[in-house]
């Protein structure tokens, strides 16, 4: 059972380049999320998706684009990378949200450095 | 909106010491409450959860009780080990909303 996988795990890119972080889950969970983790800020939600072809903004969506053409994939694209987007990015998935108590399952993270 | 407040870290303890990490929340209604743990270089994983008032979640020697009267969900462990060194996140999920995470508390356990 592969679970949720992210790629690449580590990436160095230059300012202004487009970068896509991939996320794949094998559970057919309806919800998928992208978070970034930065010292002093904890986890911040970038975008989420409730189902294929349904996406919505989170707390910090500027500079990012997502798509979800298939239930199992949820790529995150930085259209023109900036140094402030240097961070660790986590993809996650869940069967549901709200007070039903569904667990969120996280990938191992993608370390992105923008130089 | 919903929010979670965790004690700031790092929390530094010696092995076998008692651990408490405080978590309080603000939410309407009756959210579910969670503790997630992040070991170095890894993603977060669920440690324990409670879905209604007075429920106690427990796992790997960790416990937390959902206290509606004090809007708290403090994490405790009677005797920590070096392998418990990690970052701990309190989270809540209320209504039909995306879960809200606290900022995380780093725990460092020395031999």
């Amino acid at each position: 059972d592969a679970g949720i996988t992210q790629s690449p795990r580590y990436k160095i890119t230059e300012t202004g380049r487009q970068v896509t972080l991939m996320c794949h889950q094998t559970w057919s969970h309806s919800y998928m999320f992208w978070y970034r983790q930065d010292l002093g800020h904890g986890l911040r939600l970038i975008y989420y998706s409730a189902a294929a072809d349904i996406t919505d903004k989170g707390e910090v969506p500027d500079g990012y684009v997502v798509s979800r053409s298939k239930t199992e994939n949820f790529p995150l694209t930085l259209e023109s990378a900036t140094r402030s987007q240097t961070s660790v990015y986590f993809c996650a998935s869940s069967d549901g949200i709200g007070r039903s108590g569904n667990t969120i399952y996280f990938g191992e993270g993608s370390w992105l450095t923008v130089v | 909106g919903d929010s979670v407040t965790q004690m700031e870290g790092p929390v530094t303890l010696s092995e076998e010491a008692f651990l408490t990490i405080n978590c309080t929340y603000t939410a309407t209604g009756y959210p579910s409450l969670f503790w997630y743990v992040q070991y170095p270089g890894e993603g977060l994983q669920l440690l324990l959860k409670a879905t209604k008032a007075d429920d106690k979640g427990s796992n790997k020697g960790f416990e937390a009780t959902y206290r509606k009267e004090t809007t708290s969900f403090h994490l405790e462990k009677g005797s920590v080990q070096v392998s418990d060194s990690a970052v701990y996140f309190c989270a809540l999920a209320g209504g039909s909303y995306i879960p809200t995470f606290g900022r995380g508390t780093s725990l460092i356990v020395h031999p």
Side-chain angles (χ1 to χ4, degrees):
Chain A
D1 188 348
I4 184 164
T5 54
Q6 294 183 230
S7 62
R9 293 292 315 279
Y10 304 93
K11 175 79 175 177
I12 299 174
T13 192
E14 294 177 337
T15 302
R17 297 254 188 183
Q18 183 179 83
V19 176
T20 296
L21 305 180
M22 305 301 291
C23 179
H24 176 79
Q25 53 112 349
T26 59
W27 295 301
S28 298
H29 284 165
S30 53
Y31 281 87
M32 295 190 74
F33 312 87
W34 274 106
Y35 292 91
R36 59 179 290 175
Q37 185 177 27
D38 304 287
L39 205 60
H41 292 279
L43 280 177
R44 290 183 290 177
L45 182 67
I46 305 170
Y47 270 96
Y48 69 98
S49 168
D53 297 322
I54 300 175
T55 62
D56 209 346
K57 296 177 180 179
E59 182 185 353
V60 289
D62 293 343
Y64 303 95
V65 174
V66 293
S67 61
R68 195 162 176 212
S69 57
K70 293 184 178 181
T71 299
E72 61 267 29
N73 296 326
F74 191 40
L76 175 74
T77 297
L78 288 65
E79 293 186 297
S80 177
T82 65
R83 288 196 179 91
S84 65
Q85 292 177 310
T86 292
S87 186
V88 183
Y89 291 86
F90 288 98
C91 181
S93 72
S94 178
D95 245 348
I97 61 171
R99 54 171 178 270
S100 54
N102 297 91
T103 299
I104 296 181
Y105 297 89
F106 286 81
E108 293 190 320
S110 293
W111 271 253
L112 177 68
T113 301
V114 183
V115 297
Chain B
D2 294 351
S3 66
V4 173
T5 303
Q6 289 183 238
M7 60 189 291
E8 291 201 16
V11 173
T12 304
L13 296 172
S14 297
E15 209 165 22
E16 299 184 2
F18 184 86
L19 168 71
T20 300
I21 299 178
N22 290 338
C23 171
T24 57
Y25 68 90
T26 302
T28 54
Y30 303 92
S32 290
L33 301 173
F34 308 81
W35 277 102
Y36 284 82
V37 58
Q38 183 182 29
Y39 298 105
E42 299 183 8
L44 282 72
Q45 57 185 275
L46 180 70
L47 180 60
L48 53 85
K49 66 180 179 182
T51 57
K52 60 183 188 293
D54 300 324
D55 266 4
K56 178 186 285 187
S58 62
N59 186 24
K60 298 181 181 180
F62 291 89
E63 293 184 338
T65 301
Y66 187 158
R67 302 284 188 201
K68 182 173 179 298
E69 63 276 12
T70 56
T71 62
S72 65
F73 193 55
H74 304 322
L75 182 68
E76 296 181 335
K77 187 176 185 183
S79 175
V80 294
Q81 306 300 311
V82 172
S83 57
D84 293 327
S85 298
V87 181
Y88 293 81
F89 291 86
C90 186
L92 72 82
S96 59
Y97 304 123
I98 301 296
T100 300
F101 285 84
R103 289 198 168 188
T105 301
S106 176
L107 170 65
I108 301 168
V109 180
H110 294 292

